[in-house]
Amino acid sequence: MGKNLGMFIFIVLMLIVVGCSNENVDGNVSDENNEMNNEAQEIDSNNGITIAIDQNFITLDPHDAGDTVSIYGIRSMYEGLVGFDENMDIIPVLAEDYEISEDALEYVFTLKEDIVFHDGEPFNADAVKSNFERVIDEELRAARNLQYLDSIEVLSDYEIKFTLTQPFGAMINKFAMIPIASPKAFMDAENNFALNPVGTGRFMFGVWNQGDSLTVTKFDDYWGEGETNVDKVTFRPVPENGARTAMLKTGEADFVYPVPQNNVNEFQETEDIIIEETPSTIARYVSINTFKEPFNDERVRQAMNYAVDKEAFLAVVKNGYGNVLDSTMSSETQYYSKQDPYTFDLEKAKGLMAEAGYENGFEAEIWGNTSSETSTGMQFIKQQLAQIGIDVEIKSMEEGTLSDEIYTPATPEEAKVQMWYVSWSPSSGDADGATRSLFHNEYFPPNGANTAYYNNSEVSNWIDAANNTADQNEQKDIYSKIQSTVFADAPWIFLGTDTILSGHKKELEGIYVLPDGSISITNANIK
Amino acid sequence: MWKYLIKRIIALIPLLLVVSFVIFMFIHLIPGDPARLIAGKEATLEEIEAVREVLGLNQPLLQQYVNYLGSLLSGDLGSSIRSGAPVSSLIGDRIMPTLGLTFLSIIWALVIGILLGVVSAVFRDKWPDRLGMLTAVSGISLPNFWVGLVCIQLFAVQLGLFPTGGADAGWKSYILPSFALGAGIMAMIARFTRSSLVYTLKQDYIRTGRAKGLSSRTIIFGHALKNSLIPVITVAGLQFGFLLGGSVVVETVFSFPGLGRLLIDSIHFRDYPVIQALILFFSVQFILVNLLVDILYSLFNPKIRYE
């Protein structure tokens, strides 16, 4: 009897488990999901499209996002006074026009009229003011873009003036980083604003299943020109590269970004899928600690640059995609000025090493994260530098550990880093973002990302000077001088700039990836 | 039985305290500064310090632990550093998909594993046995992310039977990931069932049964299998605990919106409150499953029943 009872209970438990799991499985298929499932099947009827991306959205609060993915998720629903066009150039969006005073301290925006938010609220100068006040008062992440903002003044319904505490050359780019939300949406304390975004964009908020998908739907009262025949766009984070590219093949996704370099070949035969290449603002380099011997000798650093074959780097590490980094920033960054690259020349490299007294080379360490691409990159550098007698030891560290090792030292003397295999991209595509934190002598770790401990007071002064003028031509000249000086001083091994790869169905138009790695869906259309 | 149960549950309290302390310390001692990760690469030192202060990360570690324990006891798991959302709602959103996935995996594993084991034991040293055990050995040795990728390639891309990932397609979304997750355990259960059943079939009472003229089916399913299942339950129970760990990998491969992926994302951003809550959750679940295994044990074999 006892045994039978045991068996009976076991079977009952099994049934409960089976029952639960069925319930779980079914329970998960909520109405929303069912809806989306149907939607996925209706792609062909031009009803909605799916975009597979590599990461989760973290927040949809337009003023509190710090990561690229959240930022472009937000930009699918929001617009700023100004924005970026396909080439990352600044264009007026909600603003009709803007004027900058001669002392570069005052920005006056004339706003477009007859624009409404998704909740029907009118867009005007008061709405703009409330948005900027929210960012500053609540110390949201976007406040970093407004550190030099002194006061905001509403001049008329459609005119607003911003005054700065000091001139800041990249300010107009920073305005593009502040999306304008409906004040009613964020001022209503009852409303969980971060989960209920209300902007002015072509698409408005639909459903956000955190960790799974974000759906935005077409806003019928959109002010802008052009049309879209896409009613719904679903963003789906798929971190696994293989699974993401598979979705493009199976038709579960209509647009996939990023497509890994080594998956591109799979699509060369398929006619209905197009792989797009976008030059990016991402610069790849090895930062060299110029504070340490023997790296404090400029000739050694130049020799290292001559010893590395950049074309080979692109072929070996980047599967042939990307361009040689021929300045301190990518060609897609504001005020980029091309330099003469250090072409591969072993004789010249050996000569420079001998001149510096290191004809027999030396031992050195290179640090990098644990990703497979970084490992390949570091192996490549090791092999290249071995040609001039530099014996490189590779140290791979998990990202958090690495960041601690790099940024914890309080002084240059304490820093242990010799070489760091890394990349950088300025968040708003501006020259200041691609320069100040990297090369200004007040931005050594832990205060900034000048991990080369590059100390050239002339360059630091130029960086300050560029911000002190509103004259764009002058800024251009200054940044040009900065780039040529830093490039010649060689605090980095200049490697390459990334090419962003995305894939989409042939009939899908108007969705594109910007050089900063964000996706624009405003003009999505299905042929 | 009840006394035993209550005793076991009370004994959990100090265990949970120790577990929570260890988890807290480990997580806070791993390198990586959440303040810096949150403030972003272009942040200045002052900005990072400000973030640290807002998050309470500038307090002494023990003080932070006491605060954490205090809010934990009042049922507050805190808020995510990364998104600001309450940890309880983050876990709440993700728990059902993961539980569904793990339950389905263990069912795959039990049903197919036991069947495979029985067939192997009955046809010992003949070809069904060899085939079954070959499958089992492959199941144990292949990593589940690889099984997952092969499943995607075969059943989603080539055959188009199932979606490549996500949880939108209802039950179909669960088939491939749960199979990939359960494959290893399935194999283990098959092997344990086989060896245990082979051993049982040699026992005296089975011989007596055969002498009495009982059919093979009655002998195997009515007598031998039940007694052979005790080690299988142990394995299944222990493995169920590990399933949640395995779900971390499988959920990433299948972009499945569950706890495993939440954990990976959170570790990446050093989102302490979420990591703490998830690991604590996994630990508690592990402890409870062990308790359940002990109870099942005593039900199956009265000889090892506790007083």
Side-chain angles (χ1 to χ4, degrees), chain A residues 2-7 9-10 13-14 17-18 20-26 28-29 33-34 36-37 54-59 64 66-67 139 141 144 147 174 209-213 234 236-240 242-243 246-247 249-250 252 398-404 407-408 423-428 430 433 437 443 445-449, chain B residues 30-33 36-48 50 54 81-83 85 90 93-94 96-97 99-101 103-104 106-107 110-111 114 149 152-153 156-158 160 162-172 174 221 226-227 229 233 251-257 261 265 267-270 292 296 299-300 302 305:
Chain A
K3 280 181 189 171
N4 286 341
L5 180 72
M7 199 62 198
I9 293 178
F10 176 71
L13 274 174
M14 286 295 297
V17 168
V18 175
C20 281
S21 74
N22 276 337
E23 197 176 277
N24 288 331
V25 173
D26 293 337
N28 198 265
V29 189
N33 282 341
N34 263 335
M36 279 198 257
N37 190 21
D54 63 336
Q55 282 170 50
N56 273 325
F57 299 106
I58 293 171
T59 177
D64 204 22
D67 59 299
E139 291 181 17
R141 251 162 249 191
R144 188 177 317 138
Q147 53 185 328
K174 300 298 176 190
N209 292 326
Q210 284 192 46
D212 189 36
S213 60
T234 302
R236 155 93 26 87
V238 182
E240 179 25 63
M247 286 178 77
K249 288 187 204 156
T250 61
E252 285 167 80
E398 189 271 335
E399 198 76 64
T401 316
L402 184 61
S403 158
D404 269 8
Y407 288 106
T408 311
S423 68
W424 181 272
S425 81
S427 62
S428 51
D430 60 284
S437 190
Y443 286 81
N447 207 26
Chain B
I30 52 173
D33 179 359
R36 183 171 288 280
L37 288 167
I38 284 163
K41 57 178 186 178
E42 289 173 43
T44 61
L45 198 55
E46 291 87 59
E47 283 166 355
I48 295 166
V54 169
I81 290 180
R82 192 158 64 114
S83 66
L90 282 178
D93 285 349
R94 310 285 194 96
M96 291 322 271
L99 284 184
L101 195 61
F103 273 119
L104 201 62
I106 202 83
I107 287 164
L110 279 172
V111 173
I114 290 177
L149 286 174
I152 292 180
Q153 192 57 35
V157 177
Q158 302 291 340
F162 301 104
T164 51
D168 288 349
W171 63 271
K172 275 188 168 179
Y174 284 77
F221 290 100
K226 187 174 36 162
N227 289 328
L229 283 183
I233 291 171
E251 285 179 8
T252 307
V253 172
F254 284 92
S255 56
F256 199 83
R261 248 185 84 199
D265 285 356
I267 289 175
H268 193 70
F269 281 87
R270 297 295 186 269
L292 192 73
L296 277 179
L299 288 175
F300 265 75
R305 188 172 292 172

Side-chain angles (χ1 to χ4, degrees), chain A residues 249 264-275:
Chain A
K249 288 187 204 156
V264 172
N265 290 341
E266 297 173 31
F267 295 103
Q268 265 164 359
E269 306 283 297
T270 39
E271 270 182 18
D272 52 340
I273 288 167
I274 296 174
I275 301 290

